[in-house]
Amino acid sequence: MIPKSQIVLAAALLLAGVVSAFADRIDPYFALIISNIGINVILAVSLNLINGYTGQFSLGHAGFMAVGAYTAAAITMFGASKFAPGLTQGAGIHALFPLALVGGGLAAALAGVLVGAPSLRLKGDYLAIVRSEEHTSELQSLAYLVCRLLLEKK
């Protein structure tokens, strides 16, 4: 028997393929709405991994998604004119999408490592400060922690 999760995944991939096949016939407004729905579904699934399965509350997802989105947009818009001048017009710019997708993912992962690596050595109250994200974002917690550690050293 095939697990329900695999059936849902196959149905979602099939639906994405059908939408892609008929993208030129879909109104641009509805295509934008479908795209935004897909992006937010991916974000909701990633939040479910942290909040749903582990019970931890995290506000950092939006920040890392923003880093990846900005990097992907920068690769697509600015990188095309420098590295592939012929791809800056029309449908040719879509050829940069795989590069932008990988670049955005790597940039978000790097931002996650930069934020997460210092917290691996923390203990006690400082770990609680980093983990208490109910009222502050992860980057604010990290900035507070760095300032606190610098002031304590003197």
Side-chain angles (χ1 to χ4, degrees):
M1 173 109 184
I2 299 174
K4 183 180 176 183
S5 61
Q6 290 182 357
I7 294 172
V8 170
L9 177 63
L13 290 174
L14 182 65
L15 179 64
V18 169
V19 169
S20 296
F22 296 105
D24 56 342
R25 297 180 188 162
I26 297 175
D27 181 31
Y29 175 74
F30 290 119
L32 177 67
I33 297 298
I34 290 169
S35 175
N36 286 340
I37 288 171
I39 290 169
N40 286 311
V41 164
I42 292 170
L43 186 61
V45 169
S46 69
L47 270 174
N48 186 39
L49 289 174
I50 296 296
N51 198 5
Y53 289 111
T54 65
Q56 298 175 355
F57 184 70
S58 176
L59 297 174
H61 286 80
F64 298 130
M65 186 180 80
V67 168
Y70 180 80
T71 303
I75 289 171
T76 303
M77 300 306 294
F78 306 128
S81 62
K82 291 183 181 178
F83 301 112
L87 297 178
T88 58
Q89 297 294 327
I93 200 166
H94 296 296
L96 290 175
F97 177 72
L99 177 66
L101 185 67
V102 171
L106 290 175
L110 179 64
V113 168
L114 290 175
V115 171
S119 66
L120 293 175
R121 294 191 226 167
L122 300 176
K123 296 178 183 174
D125 292 339
Y126 297 115
L127 181 62
I129 291 169
V130 171
R131 291 302 314 147
S132 66
E133 300 161 352
E134 288 84 15
H135 302 293
T136 60
S137 71
E138 289 178 358
L139 293 176
Q140 289 172 329
S141 297
L142 183 64
Y144 173 78
L145 180 64
V146 169
C147 292
R148 178 81 183 220
L149 289 174
L150 289 174
L151 292 175
E152 224 176 62
K153 297 268 182 185
K154 292 181 179 182

